[in-house]
Amino acid sequence: MKVHEAARLLGVTPRALRFYEERGLVAPAKDAGSGYRQYETEDLETLRWIVALRELGLPIPFIADALAAREDDERFRQTMDRARAELYEQWVDLSRRLESLDRGMESWRGRTPAIGELEALAAPLKEKRSIRSAWSARLDFDDMAVKYREDAPLMTLSPPVDPHDYEEALTATADWIDARPGEAGLDLGSGTGNLAGRLAASGAAVTGVEQSPAMIRIMRSRFPELPVKQGNLLALPLPARTYRFAGSSFALQHLREDERMLALAEIDRVLLPGGRLALTDRLDGGAFSAMAEALRTQHYSVVTKPLRGGITLLYAVKPGP
């Protein structure tokens, strides 16, 4: 089958097929005499995959990985996890841009704004994008997961946390959240699911968010009924105003202060009005004071509670409708 016939069959342009060939996604044979591309059945099957994945928004590098992983369910799922996280990060960024543009246009009311107004509108967006782009995991969480399995989240903590204090902190976090049957909630930085399992025991519909593929794999094996999304706290791969509660245990210590502030903004984005938040970690008092103040600025009701081992629990309730 020649390029125009293949393009017509697939509902794309010949130029698109040539582009996919240039990017190494498909390699049709060429007629020895005419030099025309000849698309065989296998090429068309590959192109069906490419066209479908492209329509789902996957960038070319992710499509290449997905094609290579078609015969390996775990690899394919990991590729889709990574692609979804990247798409959500782009969506979060675009949503915030649109919100800022709408606010600006409302304030300008038909007049041309001064350049200073535009710069002031754009500056917070630039700062958030800079923080997100500079983020990287400060530990090899995949390696820790392989070595320590479900105990990996505890082993990532430095200085070490006593296992009894760790378990008590998880129990306190779950108790303060008080998840109810059927409620949609989150375990952020879920690791291998130690907090998620406690929250789900109440019958709540708990979703985990974790950046480490190896941690995700363990959580899925331990709690196959719980969905877990790959992503980080700076760009949660989740829709806005969806969840009744969010918990996070010992994830914030892996973030810088500016990253923690951005994480709080993301948590606020996904919580419903009246939503409950519990953050448990071992940070200095100034860090918890800064987070509490940031939440109070957004009219949250906030309390902090010291736990054993220098651990603190911050509990907050988002303003209601």
Side-chain angles (χ1 to χ4, degrees):
M1 186 178 295
K2 294 180 180 178
V3 63
H4 284 83
E5 296 171 316
R8 187 163 50 250
L9 179 66
L10 295 164
V12 297
T13 65
R15 182 177 180 179
L17 298 190
R18 294 189 185 101
F19 173 73
Y20 299 146
E21 182 182 349
E22 289 169 2
R23 299 305 297 269
L25 299 179
V26 64
K30 292 185 179 180
D31 184 89
S34 66
Y36 290 137
R37 295 169 178 81
Q38 293 292 332
Y39 291 88
E40 305 297 338
T41 301
E42 184 177 346
D43 299 320
L44 293 173
E45 178 71 10
T46 297
L47 284 167
R48 288 176 63 192
W49 278 80
I50 295 168
V51 171
L53 291 169
R54 194 66 168 161
E55 284 296 330
L56 290 171
L58 269 68
I60 293 297
F62 285 100
I63 293 177
D65 290 346
L67 292 175
R70 279 180 290 178
E71 304 302 321
D72 185 328
D73 291 345
E74 183 61 34
R75 279 183 60 203
F76 185 82
R77 187 170 188 174
Q78 288 182 2
T79 299
M80 294 299 103
D81 282 339
R82 290 190 294 110
R84 184 183 184 280
E86 181 164 310
L87 288 172
Y88 246 103
E89 184 169 344
Q90 295 172 8
W91 179 80
V92 168
D93 187 54
L94 182 58
S95 296
R96 293 195 181 280
R97 291 184 184 190
L98 287 169
E99 290 170 4
S100 296
L101 182 59
D102 284 345
R103 288 197 305 272
M105 293 177 69
E106 178 64 22
S107 67
W108 304 332
R109 292 188 178 276
R111 65 179 175 84
T112 301
I115 183 58
E117 292 178 276
L118 286 175
E119 290 175 335
L121 194 64
L125 298 172
K126 183 178 181 180
E127 180 183 7
K128 288 182 174 67
R129 191 167 62 255
S130 176
I131 294 170
R132 282 198 298 268
S133 63
W135 179 86
S136 63
R138 293 169 178 80
L139 289 173
D140 189 341
F141 291 98
D142 285 342
D143 182 63
M144 300 292 279
V146 171
K147 287 181 179 178
Y148 300 110
R149 301 295 296 170
E150 61 267 22
D151 293 328
L154 175 62
M155 304 306 295
T156 66
L157 306 181
S158 179
V161 172
D162 182 272
H164 294 293
D165 294 343
Y166 176 78
E167 292 296 324
E168 183 180 279
L170 294 182
T171 299
T173 306
D175 287 346
W176 276 77
I177 289 177
D178 189 24
R180 296 148 200 170
E183 279 191 318
L186 300 170
D187 178 8
L188 303 175
S190 53
T192 59
N194 294 334
L195 176 60
R198 282 172 165 80
L199 295 171
S202 68
V206 180
T207 297
V209 176
E210 171 57 44
Q211 60 87 24
S212 163
M215 295 274 195
I216 290 173
R217 190 161 55 248
I218 294 170
M219 180 173 169
R220 284 174 173 160
S221 68
R222 295 179 69 200
F223 305 104
E225 73 283 3
L226 301 185
V228 55
K229 311 297 184 184
Q230 184 170 351
N232 63 68
L233 274 65
L234 309 188
L236 293 175
L238 304 164
R241 293 188 170 221
T242 302
Y243 299 94
R244 292 286 179 187
F245 66 82
S248 182
S249 58
F250 301 99
L252 296 174
Q253 66 176 264
H254 301 299
L255 301 179
R256 300 191 313 261
E257 181 178 359
D258 57 349
E259 293 171 341
R260 287 195 290 268
M261 293 300 108
L262 183 51
L264 288 181
E266 275 294 278
I267 295 170
D268 177 70
R269 178 179 66 81
V270 302
L271 276 181
L272 286 161
R276 312 183 303 282
L277 168 64
L279 306 173
T280 304
D281 217 315
R282 189 170 56 188
L283 297 164
D284 63 68
F288 273 100
S289 295
M291 289 190 292
E293 181 59 29
L295 290 167
R296 289 188 181 107
T297 300
Q298 298 300 316
H299 308 294
Y300 278 69
S301 300
V302 183
V303 296
T304 57
K305 177 179 175 60
L307 304 177
R308 290 197 317 179
I311 299 166
T312 299
L313 186 149
L314 181 154
Y315 179 77
V317 179
K318 186 173 181 175

